[in-house]
């Protein structure tokens, strides 16, 4: 059983650019959630995808968008990058009905905006 | 918006002592609570989850929940230097979405 994998592990972008982060969910999991963790803070919920549709969104602007594919993998896209977008981006997969015992985080993508 | 509050620490304990980490939450209707451990530069790792009032034990870890006081705690017995990390408390909202506290830094001194 493979875990949640994220790519890339590290990324440096310039303010105003666009970025795409990728996540492959754990085998058997159909729900993917994305979190942003700024330095010294807890993770904050960005959005969740279930069956290829957005299923809940946190307090993030529309320039944060996402996709989920038929194989349940997911992408997080951020347009018009700002310095404050520098953070660790975490993807978590889960499966409806299994409860939170199945909430597995990937290793994260460290995004630095300069 | 549900809120989760934790003392940022750092909490320093000697090796072999009991570390006590605390968390309060704002939504009285919250049902599920989680403790994650996060080493520097790594992603959060689930330690324990608890749904019912009282204590839940797993090895050296004990989670305690008091819904009346809206308080959840994590006790680590026989603390080891390898337990030094940030401990995140989280509450689940409807739809499997977690609300995290800012975390407590634990330092275990040998």
């Amino acid at each position: 059983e493979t875990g949640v994998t994220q790519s890339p592990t590290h990324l440096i972008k310039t303010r105003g650019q666009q970025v795409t982060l990728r996540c492959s969910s754990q085998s058997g999991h159909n729900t993917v959630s994305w979190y942003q963790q700024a330095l010294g803070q807890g993770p904050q919920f960005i959005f969740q995808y279930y069956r290829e549709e957005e299923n809940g969104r946190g307090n993030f602007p529309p320039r944060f968008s996402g996709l989920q594919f038929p194989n349940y993998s997911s992408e997080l896209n951020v347009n018009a990058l700002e310095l404050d977008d520098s953070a660790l981006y975490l993807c978590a997969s889960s499966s409806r009905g299994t409860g939170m015992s199945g909430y597995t985080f990937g290793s994260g993508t460290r995004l630095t905006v300069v | 918006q549900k809120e989760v509050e934790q003392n940022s620490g750092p909490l320093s304990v000697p090796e072999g002592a009991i570390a006590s980490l605390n968390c309060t939450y704002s939504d009285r209707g919250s049902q599920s609570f989680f403790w994650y451990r996060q080493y520097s530069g790594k992603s959060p790792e689930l330690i324990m989850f608890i749904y019912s009032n009282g204590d839940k034990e797993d090895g050296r870890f004990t989670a305690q929940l008091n819904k009346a006081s809206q308080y959840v705690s994590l006790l680590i017995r026989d603390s080891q230097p390898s337990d030094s990390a940030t401990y995140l408390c989280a509450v689940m909202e409807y739809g499997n979405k977690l609300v995290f506290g800012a975390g407590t830094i634990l330092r275990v001194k040998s």
Side-chain angles (χ1 to χ4, degrees), chain B residues 78-95:
Chain B
D78 189 24
S79 295
Q80 301 298 309
S82 59
D83 294 326
S84 297
T86 297
Y87 288 80
L88 297 163
C89 174
V91 173
M92 182 175 25
E93 285 190 356
Y94 176 77

Side-chain angles (χ1 to χ4, degrees), chain B residues 8-40:
Chain B
S8 62
L11 172 66
S12 293
V13 300
E15 184 175 357
I18 295 175
S20 177
L21 303 160
N22 305 312
C23 170
T24 59
Y25 58 95
S26 62
D27 189 341
R28 187 171 291 277
S30 297
Q31 297 291 320
S32 306
F33 308 87
F34 303 83
W35 284 101
Y36 282 82
R37 176 176 62 197
Q38 187 173 29
Y39 293 113
S40 181

Side-chain angles (χ1 to χ4, degrees), chain B residues 24-89:
Chain B
T24 59
Y25 58 95
S26 62
D27 189 341
R28 187 171 291 277
S30 297
Q31 297 291 320
S32 306
F33 308 87
F34 303 83
W35 284 101
Y36 282 82
R37 176 176 62 197
Q38 187 173 29
Y39 293 113
S40 181
K42 304 296 185 181
S43 65
E45 171 193 9
L46 181 64
I47 299 174
M48 295 190 70
F49 55 91
I50 185 168
Y51 304 137
S52 303
N53 268 335
D55 296 359
K56 179 182 179 182
E57 187 173 319
D58 183 2
R60 296 188 296 113
F61 299 95
T62 299
Q64 299 176 319
L65 175 60
N66 184 324
K67 290 187 176 181
S69 300
Q70 296 176 234
Y71 177 93
V72 58
S73 64
L74 179 69
L75 300 178
I76 306 174
R77 291 180 299 281
D78 189 24
S79 295
Q80 301 298 309
S82 59
D83 294 326
S84 297
T86 297
Y87 288 80
L88 297 163
C89 174

Side-chain angles (χ1 to χ4, degrees), chain A residues 31-35 43-50 53-59 92-96 99-100 103 105, chain B residues 1-4 27 30-34 36 89-101:
Chain A
T31 302
V32 174
S33 304
W34 286 92
Y35 288 80
Q44 291 198 337
F45 176 73
I46 303 175
F47 44 55
Q48 182 182 93
Y49 278 84
Y50 172 65
E53 293 194 359
E54 187 178 289
N55 179 46
R57 187 179 185 91
N59 188 26
S93 74
S94 58
S95 184
R96 294 246 171 139
M100 292 305 290
Y103 209 104
F105 278 102
Chain B
Q1 173 69 28
K2 296 181 181 181
E3 294 184 351
V4 177
D27 189 341
S30 297
Q31 297 291 320
S32 306
F33 308 87
F34 303 83
Y36 282 82
C89 174
V91 173
M92 182 175 25
E93 285 190 356
Y94 176 77
N96 276 14
K97 303 156 198 171
L98 289 176
V99 178
F100 284 88

